Structure formats: structure tokens, C-alpha cells
Amino acid sequence: QVQLVESGGGLVQAGGSLRLSCAASGRTFSSYHMGWFRQAPGKERKFVAAISRSGSSTYYADSVKGRFTISRDNAKNTVYLQMNSLKPEDTAVYYCVADPTHRLSVGLNWYEYDYWGQGTQVTVSS
């Protein structure tokens, strides 16, 4: 079982920045692909970013490319999402996800991740 705990959400003005963190339990964090999804009220959950086990490969939704950066520290069992140039449309609950399987490819779809955090709210005011 993997437990994921997000932190770092909050209220920020458009153009501002936030850094989300996700701490994972367990001793095999470095074997998980990790990612972030978000869900706005009344909308479906959407892929934001993902990172491979070693951190050598990263993937982003087109809507956040160039503004968000995903990274990980395997020594600290933590994955991060640095969010810059935030826009009101980035407002959502952000979820940290983990893929504990041994698949080679990094998942871009919600059903490829077995473990989800409780979510952290990000609100961007205009």
C-alpha cells in the first residue's frame, strides 16, 4: 500500500507561483512512476504532468507546458510540481498519483495509476 500526501496548495493571484509537494510512504518510491492530475468543479480529471522512476523523463499536458515543472527527490520520497505564471483556468484540486507496476512507459491516463492522494486545492484569482 502506498500513501500519498500532497501539500502546498492555496490561493494565488494570476501570474503568481506555487510549489506542490507530494510525500509518499514506503521504501520503493524510486520504483514508481509518479504524476499529477487535476480536477476542476464539474469537470473531468485531467492529466497535468508525469515523471519516470529515475526522473530522467518528464511529460506535460499542452496547457501547462513551459509553465509547470515536475521533479522528484527519491532520497526524500517526494515529488514536486512547480507552477509558474498561473492562470485562473489552473484552478482545480490537484492530485498526486503513483504507478507501482513495472510497466516501462509513463502513464498519461488516470486509469494507469493505482494510488491517489487526497488532493490539494489550488485557486488562482484574476
Side-chain angles (χ1 to χ4, degrees):
Q1 188 75 10
V2 177
Q3 290 188 324
L4 304 172
V5 179
E6 303 100 333
S7 61
L11 173 64
V12 64
Q13 288 189 332
S17 298
L18 282 175
R19 189 195 197 199
L20 304 184
S21 298
C22 172
S25 65
R27 295 177 290 178
T28 56
F29 176 77
S30 60
S31 68
Y32 309 150
H33 293 321
M34 300 293 295
W36 292 92
F37 283 74
R38 67 186 181 186
Q39 188 167 21
K43 296 188 177 181
E44 61 182 14
R45 72 190 88 177
K46 292 187 175 180
F47 169 77
V48 176
I51 188 166
S52 62
R53 298 179 183 93
S54 66
S56 60
S57 298
T58 56
Y59 305 83
Y60 297 95
D62 287 343
S63 59
V64 307
K65 206 170 289 184
R67 300 188 297 122
F68 290 11
T69 302
I70 188 171
S71 62
R72 66 190 297 163
D73 186 337
N74 285 344
K76 295 183 178 180
N77 282 15
T78 302
V79 63
Y80 306 97
L81 186 67
Q82 178 67 44
M83 305 186 294
N84 298 329
S85 302
L86 282 161
K87 304 175 181 180
E89 51 263 44
D90 293 319
T91 295
V93 176
Y94 284 70
Y95 297 93
C96 174
V97 296
D99 171 12
T101 69
H102 296 291
R103 77 178 93 232
L104 292 177
S105 61
V106 177
L108 306 183
N109 302 289
W110 64 266
Y111 52 79
E112 295 179 281
Y113 291 90
D114 294 337
Y115 297 107
W116 292 67
Q118 82 287 351
T120 185
Q121 176 70 46
V122 171
T123 303
V124 184
S125 63
S126 56

